[in-house]
Amino acid sequence: MSISVFSFIIAVASLSAGRLVMQLQDVGEAVVEFAEQAHDWLTGLGVMQEEDDENGGLASAVRDMSGQALTWGMTALGAITSFVILVVLTGFIAVNPALYRGGALRLVPPAKRGIAEETLSALAHALRWWFLGQLVSMALLGVSVGLGLFVLGIELWLGLAVLTALLTFIPFIGPLIAAVPVIAVGFAAGMQTGLIVLAGYLVIQNLEGSVVNPLIQQRAVNLAPALLIAVQVLLSLVFGVMGLILAAPLTIVGMVAVQKLWVEHTLGERIT
């Protein structure tokens, strides 16, 4: 069943890849355009001073970003493909952990296999429910953002919806990063549209954070935000984007392993 779902997602993504890449390139250009408008507006209010391009002012930096934005379409497909592969790989491990658990147990001495099997079962349970929670969050934010932008008549709704859904896979940091292009494109379409997009995104994000995540964490493991963010920063510095993506599941593995192997079986304290 899970293989069919992932195959369907990959097939749909392949059919829409061309349009998606073009929209992501347009998103980059829209963000740069919004940055230029914001700079001009702040300069008009006297909050910022107009600087010459020779002095390396913000206007010059923004125009340099315009050239860089043109490369988004060329690199977007490769980045999204790598992201999807990592998500699918994590999904396969979380959905069918028994396939990998059997091989891992053979590496453990027979006398310790009971403890190892209990720990691996707890890891599989936590990872499965965490992954389910991320899928629900991705669907909620991605569909809601896409539908809302489509209703508002914003042409880049598909690219922004896919970008939001993919970034939501990264807890805490991902939705914050996704908010930047969504809100920028909204304000680029007009002040009223931008305010509606901003308010709508805040409502959806709060709903996801206060309703969906707590329900899933009751079945998985309650990740401490400070710990997770610290691991995300550390792994992103060492391994880049891949470390940022895998920070949450690796943190879950570490927490459950410590709880089972050290707290319960070594210290003898039962965790409820």
Side-chain angles (χ1 to χ4, degrees):
M1 180 65 181
S2 59
I3 296 178
S4 301
V5 173
F6 284 127
S7 300
F8 175 76
I9 294 175
I10 293 174
V12 173
S14 299
L15 293 175
S16 306
R19 180 184 178 188
L20 184 59
V21 169
M22 293 180 61
Q23 287 210 1
L24 289 175
Q25 178 179 346
D26 293 339
V27 167
E29 295 175 354
V31 171
V32 172
E33 180 182 353
F34 171 74
E36 292 177 341
Q37 292 175 355
H39 175 264
D40 294 339
W41 180 64
L42 292 174
T43 301
L45 293 177
V47 177
M48 300 181 64
Q49 295 182 353
E50 186 70 35
E51 299 183 23
D52 297 333
D53 291 349
E54 296 178 356
N55 296 329
L58 179 60
S60 177
V62 168
R63 278 191 285 272
D64 292 339
M65 289 172 59
S66 301
Q68 296 178 2
L70 297 177
T71 64
W72 274 44
M74 300 175 60
T75 59
L77 183 58
I80 291 176
T81 301
S82 301
F83 201 107
V84 170
I85 290 175
L86 288 173
V87 172
V88 171
L89 178 62
T90 305
F92 278 128
I93 296 175
V95 171
N96 188 19
L99 179 63
Y100 312 96
R101 182 172 52 194
L105 288 175
R106 293 189 181 92
L107 303 176
V108 179
K112 300 293 185 181
R113 285 182 183 175
I115 298 176
E117 186 173 5
E118 181 183 347
T119 303
L120 290 175
S121 297
L123 286 172
H125 179 272
L127 286 174
R128 185 184 299 114
W129 279 100
W130 173 82
F131 187 75
L132 176 61
Q134 294 309 111
L135 289 181
V136 173
S137 297
M138 291 170 66
L140 175 63
L141 282 178
V143 173
S144 300
V145 167
L147 182 61
L149 296 177
F150 178 79
V151 171
L152 291 174
I154 296 179
E155 297 181 355
L156 303 179
W157 64 270
L158 176 60
L160 290 171
V162 173
L163 188 63
T164 300
L166 291 177
L167 288 174
T168 303
F169 185 78
I170 305 173
F172 300 115
I173 297 178
L176 295 178
I177 299 175
V180 175
V182 172
I183 295 173
V185 170
F187 276 104
M191 180 61 69
Q192 182 178 1
T193 302
L195 293 175
I196 294 175
V197 171
L198 175 60
Y201 192 89
L202 290 176
V203 170
I204 297 171
Q205 176 59 32
N206 286 329
L207 177 64
E208 183 268 341
S210 60
V211 178
V212 177
N213 276 343
L215 289 176
I216 298 300
Q217 286 178 353
Q218 291 177 0
R219 294 293 191 95
V221 59
N222 191 10
L223 286 175
L227 174 61
L228 178 55
I229 293 175
V231 175
Q232 286 177 328
V233 172
L234 176 62
L235 292 184
S236 64
L237 291 175
V238 178
F239 301 105
V241 176
M242 183 176 296
L244 185 62
I245 296 172
L246 297 178
L250 290 178
T251 303
I252 292 176
V253 170
M255 288 182 61
V256 173
V258 170
Q259 291 174 359
K260 287 295 180 181
L261 298 178
W262 176 251
V263 178
E264 292 189 6
H265 291 284
T266 301
L267 301 181
E269 298 180 4
R270 191 69 182 177
I271 297 178
T272 57

